[in-house]
Amino acid sequence: MRSDAQLLLLDKDVVESLLTTGDVLTAVERAFELHRLGEGRVFPLIRESLRTGGVFGIKAGDVQSESLLGFKAAGFWPSNRSQGSEPHQATIMLIDPATGRPLCVIDGNAITTMRTGAAGGLGLRALARPGSRRLCVFGTGVQARIQVMFALHMIPAIASIRYLTAARAADAGFESCFSDRCEISHATDANEAVSASDIVITATPGGGALFSADAVQPGTHLNCVGADTKGKRELPEGMLERVRLFVDDRVQARQIGEAQWTPDVACAELGDVLAAPEKVSRRPEDITVFDMTGLALQDLTVAQMLYERADKSNLGTRVPWPW
């Protein structure tokens, strides 16, 4: 037995100290490229409801040429809110593909938040109309905040934000995050807010349609985050039939994303757009949708970056793990 083997543990504080916007964007864009080339594999998704009221899932994949293998065990436990905790929970494990031994266990909450925000930012850069100035966001939680943060980073022209909440009440904390960057205001009429916007971001639990299909004006781009499980949706019926649809992964989007409701609608994968943006001719009147379900490769490329950086800097906790 190898008695000197160790397992590296990276907790929340270490992860957050190492995550930067630029590095995560680079890692996530690399994940899209690996997926496009077929060098990175996405394994069949596990996503199941629990008797506790939670939803548990596993996203796994590998990049054989880079000896990268791992998975994220994650889900949504709404009852955590009553305990003052975050309902989204995630843990990532990197594994040595040559031996099957675990290399690193990583708190996945911040990684999930950041990589999803980065994916949304890349979608906006590729698909939103240049010069888009008016943004509408549904939700004010962790994911809504990171989506808006990356939107402002990637689309400097954004000058105003209108946000909507399930309780139809203003969120002072949310406003304070962005008030020094642009005009921000609470809206109560979803259709009016959508119709007046160039970009719409939906970042809710996916409990149902958030607005009417006819509220979306020609030229609008939508990033849809909340549909990540069978039965979830944020877009109204009939919406996808009149848009240009983009996804992170066709199979996964048709299983758990907005595309589950119209699986026969043609779609393109964002990785192809990022690799050759000149091949995507966006007419000013086109309505575009990025159906975001989250790739295992995004978690793994970010996790690999953190693992290498933590190992080099001697960060984290090393636990004896003989074999």
Side-chain angles (χ1 to χ4, degrees):
M1 293 180 65
R2 285 186 51 187
S3 60
D4 62 338
Q6 293 183 324
L7 175 64
L8 179 62
L9 308 180
L10 302 182
D11 65 18
K12 174 180 179 290
D13 292 338
V14 172
V15 170
E16 292 182 350
S17 73
L18 293 173
L19 284 174
T20 67
T21 299
D23 287 341
V24 174
L25 280 167
T26 298
V28 171
E29 189 160 14
R30 176 169 159 262
F32 278 117
E33 179 68 358
L34 290 167
H35 185 255
R36 180 184 75 85
L37 296 172
E39 294 181 16
R41 297 188 295 172
V42 175
F43 301 158
L45 175 76
I46 294 174
R47 191 79 171 171
E48 297 292 339
S49 297
L50 305 175
R51 290 183 178 179
T52 61
V55 176
F56 175 72
I58 295 178
K59 291 181 177 179
D62 72 352
V63 183
Q64 296 183 60
S65 62
E66 299 182 10
S67 297
L68 176 60
L69 170 67
F71 65 88
K72 180 175 74 175
F76 186 74
W77 284 263
S79 61
N80 285 4
R81 289 196 181 100
S82 64
Q83 304 177 49
S85 299
E86 168 58 38
H88 289 94
Q89 293 295 318
T91 303
I92 297 171
M93 180 180 287
L94 299 180
I95 298 168
D96 180 357
T99 66
R101 298 295 298 173
L103 300 172
C104 187
V105 175
I106 311 173
D107 185 293
N109 287 2
I111 292 176
T112 301
T113 298
M114 287 287 283
R115 65 84 156 146
T116 309
L122 292 169
L124 292 178
R125 187 186 72 186
L127 302 171
R129 284 180 297 170
S132 293
R133 293 178 55 82
R134 301 165 299 173
L135 184 149
C136 169
V137 59
F138 287 80
T140 60
V142 172
Q143 193 51 234
R145 296 184 186 209
I146 203 69
Q147 289 293 326
V148 173
M149 187 192 86
F150 273 95
L152 293 173
H153 180 78
M154 302 297 273
I155 311 289
I158 292 174
S160 66
I161 298 170
R162 302 187 72 183
Y163 70 95
L164 296 100
T165 62
R168 300 176 65 84
D171 186 327
F174 182 77
E175 292 186 15
S176 68
C177 293
F178 308 107
S179 57
D180 62 343
R181 169 61 176 78
C182 62
E183 177 187 338
I184 182 167
S185 60
H186 176 241
T188 55
D189 187 322
N191 288 339
E192 189 278 329
V194 168
S195 67
S197 299
D198 303 306
I199 295 169
V200 176
I201 296 172
T202 59
T204 75
L210 299 171
F211 48 84
S212 301
D214 57 8
V216 183
Q217 300 302 302
T220 304
H221 172 73
L222 300 93
N223 269 4
C224 301
V225 185
D228 59 1
T229 304
K230 289 181 181 179
K232 284 190 175 185
R233 73 183 311 164
E234 294 177 308
L235 296 182
E237 185 176 351
M239 183 79 225
L240 293 186
E241 290 86 344
R242 56 187 286 249
V243 310
R244 295 182 64 184
L245 178 61
F246 298 84
V247 300
D248 40 25
D249 180 89
R250 286 187 183 88
V251 173
Q252 189 169 283
R254 287 166 175 163
Q255 289 176 335
I256 62 172
E258 292 291 344
Q260 69 182 281
W261 303 101
T262 52
D264 296 329
V265 169
C267 59
E269 292 186 344
L270 187 67
D272 294 327
V273 180
L274 297 177
E278 69 281 358
K279 294 184 179 180
V280 180
S281 176
R282 191 198 202 286
R283 298 171 300 179
E285 68 273 19
D286 285 340
I287 298 172
T288 52
V289 169
F290 180 27
D291 184 8
M292 303 170 55
T293 56
L295 293 176
L297 291 172
Q298 296 166 358
D299 298 307
L300 297 184
T301 54
V302 176
Q304 181 186 50
M305 178 266 291
L306 295 178
Y307 171 54
E308 293 174 350
R309 188 167 295 175
D311 190 49
K312 183 178 180 180
S313 302
N314 199 32
L315 295 173
T317 302
R318 285 161 175 78
V319 179
W321 206 262
W323 62 292

